[in-house]
């Protein structure tokens, strides 16, 4: 059984042949996962979780599945958007973890293929896909929030080196990263989107300091990173000097596309487990009725999310840009993630308030869903102004 019983044809309707159960790409991956994915849940301890994800990425890489959307010459499979869509569904249905080096595989690597020099690609792309070198993203800043154009980190060219000063925050997996791609202001007289450059720097370079940020879940998943006269070679830039905003927008396009492929299937698997737990839950008649109603609503909304994601995959396959539709998916998923976690906690009773229990841990972790990749407030502004045409 493939797991696609969680994605019934009666709901998927006429679009299902585009990503069908017997598509050769899907079948090949499903068979490989049957032999290689254990389905074991990720440990709560973060060091153990990252170690598990790194080991899984090495196994994916050895099997040619670490980055199927990458070109074949670089270790990928040249997969198109619809195949990526199937790829993430099968990973979720096999209950496999995410690869550890997601910032590199999804963000920097594809962006470097578009804007990076051949020398840069030859130096970094192999290690990104194999997981030998871990990456983190230096974009967000304490004073800028979701307004990336308001960043203040600066870099000055000193001979053959960039000298970077500033602070980045909410930097995912910075503790484990070997490299960071940092968006800096390189023209001191520039404002907003102009005069920015995307610079690469080693995390162990002098002047780079990483401090963990502990979340309410107890995870130090994010860090703040300080650059105090930190130096990096002048040629470690993605794109041209002063054109960092262009590179960043390319990167966001890859991020929105990838997000649209990953979320719905894992949520459906989660709901499947909640339904199993609900059957044996010690709930009152009223609580059980409430849980069943909430489950039905969330299941339908998750299928709607799949529709949105599949529609974007079809558009991308036709060569169209996702554009601002990624904000719709981001907003839709962020609220859904939190509500599914709340239902899980309700069904499991006291376990739902214990941070060291997987259910309670997931409830606390889900609070960040409406902040990822731009807050829900920012996403609503984008939808209102860029899609609906409402005034600022």
């Amino acid at each position: 059984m493939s797991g696609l019983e969680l994605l019934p044809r009666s709901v998927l309707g006429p679009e299902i042949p585009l990503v069908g159960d017997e598509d050769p790409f899907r079948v090949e991956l499903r068979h490989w996962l049957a032999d290689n994915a254990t389905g074991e849940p990720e440990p709560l301890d973060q060091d153990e979780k990252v170690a598990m994800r790194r080991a899984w990425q090495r196994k994916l890489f050895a099997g040619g599945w670490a980055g199927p959307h990458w070109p074949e010459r670089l270790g990928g499979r040249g997969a198109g958007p619809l195949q990526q869509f199937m790829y993430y569904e099968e990973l979720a249905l096999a209950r496999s973890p995410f690869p550890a080096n997601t910032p590199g595989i999804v963000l920097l690597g594809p962006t470097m293929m578009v804007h990076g020099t051949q020398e840069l690609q030859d130096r970094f792309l192999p290690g990104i896909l194999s997981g030998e070198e871990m990456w983190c993203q230096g974009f967000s800043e304490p004073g800028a929030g979701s307004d990336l154009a308001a960043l203040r980190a600066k870099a000055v060219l000193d001979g053959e080196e960039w000298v970077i000063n500033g602070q980045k925050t909410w930097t995912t997996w910075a503790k484990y990263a070997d490299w960071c791609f940092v968006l800096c202001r390189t023209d001191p007289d520039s404002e907003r989107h102009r005069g920015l450059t995307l610079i690469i720097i080693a995390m162990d370079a002098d002047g780079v300091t990483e401090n963990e940020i502990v979340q309410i879940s107890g995870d130090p998943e994010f860090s703040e990173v300080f650059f105090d006269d930190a130096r990096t070679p002048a040629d470690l830039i993605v794109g041209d000097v002063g054109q960092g905003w262009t590179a960043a927008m390319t990167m966001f396009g890859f991020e929105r596309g990838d997000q649209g492929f990953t979320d719905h299937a894992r949520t459906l698997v989660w709901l499947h487990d909640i339904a199993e737990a609900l059957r044996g839950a010690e709930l009152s008649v009223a609580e059980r009725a409430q849980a069943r109603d909430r489950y039905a609503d969330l299941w339908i909304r998750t299928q709607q999310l799949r529709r949105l994601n599949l529609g974007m995959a079809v558009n991308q396959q036709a060569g169209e840009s996702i554009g601002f539709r990624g904000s719709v998916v981001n907003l839709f998923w962020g609220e859904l993630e939190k509500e599914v976690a709340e239902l899980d906690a309700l069904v499991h009773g006291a376990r739902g308030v214990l941070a060291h229990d997987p259910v309670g841990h997931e409830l606390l972790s889900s609070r960040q869903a409406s902040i990822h990749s731009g807050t829900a407030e920012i996403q609503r502004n984008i939808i209102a102004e860029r899609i609906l045409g409402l005034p600022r």
Side-chain angles (χ1 to χ4, degrees):
M1 187 174 292
S2 70
L4 284 178
E5 68 276 3
L6 299 178
L7 312 173
R9 295 173 184 271
S10 60
V11 172
L12 301 178
E15 293 174 89
I16 187 62
L18 295 171
V19 288
D21 192 9
E22 298 306 321
D23 182 276
F25 178 90
R26 189 192 284 276
V27 170
E28 181 184 358
L29 173 59
R30 187 186 308 146
H31 288 165
W32 186 88
L33 289 170
D35 293 333
N36 291 276
T38 66
E40 295 179 7
E42 290 188 329
L44 295 185
D45 179 82
Q46 183 167 276
D47 290 342
E48 295 176 7
K49 179 189 296 184
V50 172
M52 181 183 192
R53 290 187 178 189
R54 293 198 75 165
W56 176 238
Q57 183 171 338
R58 286 192 290 270
K59 185 176 286 190
L60 286 169
F61 178 72
W65 291 106
H69 58 294
W70 283 38
E72 292 184 32
R73 62 181 176 84
L74 296 173
R77 292 172 176 259
L82 286 171
Q83 289 177 318
Q84 275 185 270
F85 186 91
M86 290 185 277
Y87 171 75
Y88 281 117
E89 285 196 335
E90 290 298 327
L91 288 185
L93 296 169
R95 299 177 183 270
S96 72
F98 286 106
N101 204 17
T102 300
I105 295 175
V106 175
L107 303 179
L108 183 67
T111 302
M112 192 179 289
M113 294 177 208
V114 176
H115 297 289
T117 64
Q118 189 61 53
E119 292 75 16
L120 213 61
Q121 295 181 35
D122 293 342
R123 164 63 184 87
F124 289 114
L125 291 181
I128 288 174
L129 199 59
S130 68
E132 292 304 310
E133 292 181 319
M134 294 279 286
W135 288 78
C136 62
Q137 178 183 14
F139 275 25
S140 297
E141 294 187 5
S146 295
D147 184 8
L148 183 60
L151 66 82
R152 293 181 292 179
K154 62 182 180 180
V156 177
L157 197 59
D158 181 22
E160 296 299 314
E161 294 181 315
W162 291 105
V163 181
I164 303 176
N165 283 280
Q167 178 186 356
K168 299 294 180 177
T169 193
W170 306 119
T171 307
T172 307
W173 305 129
K175 173 183 177 181
Y176 308 96
D178 302 293
W179 297 90
C180 184
F181 45 99
V182 189
L183 196 61
C184 299
R185 194 166 297 282
T186 50
D187 180 353
D189 298 322
S190 65
E191 295 181 353
R192 301 295 296 167
H193 312 89
R194 299 178 178 83
L196 306 176
T197 303
L198 188 58
I199 302 175
I200 294 171
I201 187 169
M203 287 296 289
D204 62 358
D206 291 341
V208 179
T209 304
E210 174 266 327
N211 294 329
E212 295 177 356
I213 301 174
V214 180
Q215 302 156 244
I216 59 172
S217 63
D219 292 330
E221 182 180 349
F222 305 105
S223 296
E224 53 183 357
V225 182
F226 297 90
F227 301 93
D228 299 297
D229 290 331
R231 291 177 173 266
T232 191
D235 60 347
L236 292 190
I237 61 172
V238 182
D240 296 327
V241 174
Q243 298 301 311
W245 189 257
T246 300
M249 291 302 100
T250 299
M251 188 175 291
F252 286 144
F254 289 124
E255 181 180 34
R256 293 187 187 107
D258 188 80
Q259 264 182 341
F261 301 139
T262 60
D263 300 325
H264 65 272
R266 291 185 182 272
T267 304
L268 283 168
V269 171
W270 190 0
L271 286 169
H272 171 78
D273 292 344
I274 291 174
E276 291 294 316
L278 180 58
R279 292 187 179 95
E282 296 182 2
L283 300 174
S284 67
V285 174
E287 287 173 333
R288 184 173 297 277
Q290 179 191 20
R292 289 173 63 89
D293 287 346
R294 290 175 66 180
Y295 175 88
D297 173 67
L298 293 169
W299 189 88
I300 292 169
R301 285 162 59 191
T302 305
Q303 294 291 354
Q304 291 174 327
L305 177 60
R306 186 179 191 265
R307 285 278 193 171
L308 286 172
N309 290 338
L310 181 55
M312 290 203 301
V314 171
N315 292 145
Q316 283 183 277
Q317 191 80 22
E320 300 176 20
S321 171
I322 291 176
F324 301 111
R325 286 172 293 179
S327 292
V328 177
V329 171
N330 190 295
L331 180 63
F332 196 105
W333 167 78
E335 299 302 322
L336 189 64
E337 175 90 354
K338 293 191 292 185
E339 292 185 45
V340 173
E342 290 167 0
L343 175 61
D344 200 10
L346 170 66
V347 169
H348 284 90
R351 286 181 56 188
V353 297
L354 300 175
H356 62 273
D357 183 273
V359 176
H361 184 271
E362 200 63 49
L363 175 65
L364 294 174
S365 296
S366 71
R367 300 300 91 186
Q368 63 184 294
S370 54
I371 301 174
H372 277 314
S373 305
T375 65
E377 291 77 14
I378 291 293
Q379 305 299 350
R380 288 188 177 94
N381 283 344
I382 292 173
I383 293 168
E385 296 170 15
R386 307 297 178 86
I387 298 179
L388 301 179
L390 299 178
R392 291 178 63 86

